[in-house]
Amino acid sequence: MVADSVAGCWYGQGVDLNLAATIHADMGNGAKAVDMYMSAVRIFERIADLSGMAGALNNAAIVYFSMGMHAEAASAYEDALEMAVRSGNDQWASNILMNLGEVYVARGDYDLALEQTRKSMALNAGRFAESLASMHEIMSTAFLGKGQQDSAIIHLRIAIGAHAGTDEVSLQARCEIALARILRDASPS
């Protein structure tokens, strides 16, 4: 009983650190946010909360990515993925794989981006529709980076259709603008 109470206190501290770190990240305090997320990871590790560790590592990776620290982001995402897989949380694992794909696109490693995003889609298997549009958008960007406009167009059209079924109008518009640019650039002058 006491052990459960202590674990609950530690869990609460981990959650609080995650929330505080998110506030710091939103305020542009990336380094402070990462430090707090990593403190949360250590707390969740202490109570063997793999999902908590995955979440805090994922959040740290998001901040690293926003700071342009792609190697650090990839490393944190890979650690988060390990925790998500060990905890059996397919939705976390799918989202983390998708995020890894985005990091690899930013690094110009389009083949690895496609590989991670395909793994995310396979794990998702249509269960987490809110992520499907983003997965196709990442794949489109990777194909475009590889010079494969036809594949990029196909995935953008799928992303637009997936966004159309949500209230994510700005994301749908972003995909439509990207599609218009590809079609404009591909048309003869």
Side-chain angles (χ1 to χ4, degrees):
M1 185 71 168
V2 171
D4 288 341
S5 179
V6 170
C9 288
W10 282 113
Y11 176 80
Q13 284 186 339
V15 169
D16 289 347
L17 273 169
N18 246 333
L19 292 173
T22 300
I23 291 168
H24 280 282
D26 290 345
M27 292 173 32
N29 242 343
K32 179 71 173 173
V34 168
D35 286 343
M36 294 177 87
Y37 284 131
M38 297 314 289
S39 292
V41 169
R42 289 187 292 278
I43 287 172
F44 289 128
E45 183 176 31
R46 184 176 185 156
I47 59 172
D49 183 340
L50 297 174
S51 288
M53 291 170 65
L57 284 162
N58 182 68
N59 292 341
I62 290 168
V63 174
Y64 279 133
F65 184 74
S66 73
M67 294 169 48
M69 301 172 71
H70 299 148
E72 292 83 352
S75 177
Y77 279 135
E78 288 165 2
D79 291 344
L81 179 60
E82 179 186 343
M83 295 304 118
V85 168
R86 285 179 49 200
S87 72
N89 190 328
D90 288 348
Q91 185 168 8
W92 265 116
S94 177
N95 285 338
I96 293 164
L97 284 162
M98 179 181 66
N99 293 343
L100 264 171
E102 192 172 18
V103 170
Y104 293 131
V105 162
R107 289 170 54 175
D109 193 341
Y110 303 117
D111 289 326
L112 198 50
L114 290 168
E115 177 185 329
Q116 297 306 317
T117 308
R118 284 181 180 125
K119 286 179 184 177
S120 176
M121 292 176 113
L123 193 56
N124 181 319
R127 294 179 288 170
F128 317 117
E130 66 276 1
S131 300
L132 192 58
S134 296
M135 292 174 197
H136 283 287
E137 192 174 353
I138 292 166
M139 291 187 76
S140 172
T141 305
F143 279 121
L144 193 58
K146 291 175 59 100
Q148 298 177 10
Q149 284 80 4
D150 290 344
S151 293
I153 289 168
I154 290 167
H155 285 282
L156 266 178
R157 287 188 170 145
I158 294 169
I160 290 167
H163 281 309
T166 71
D167 58 355
E168 309 253 0
V169 177
S170 64
L171 297 178
Q172 180 181 351
R174 182 179 69 201
C175 291
E176 289 171 347
I177 290 167
L179 178 60
R181 286 182 179 146
I182 293 170
L183 293 172
R184 177 198 66 206
D185 295 345
S187 68
S189 304

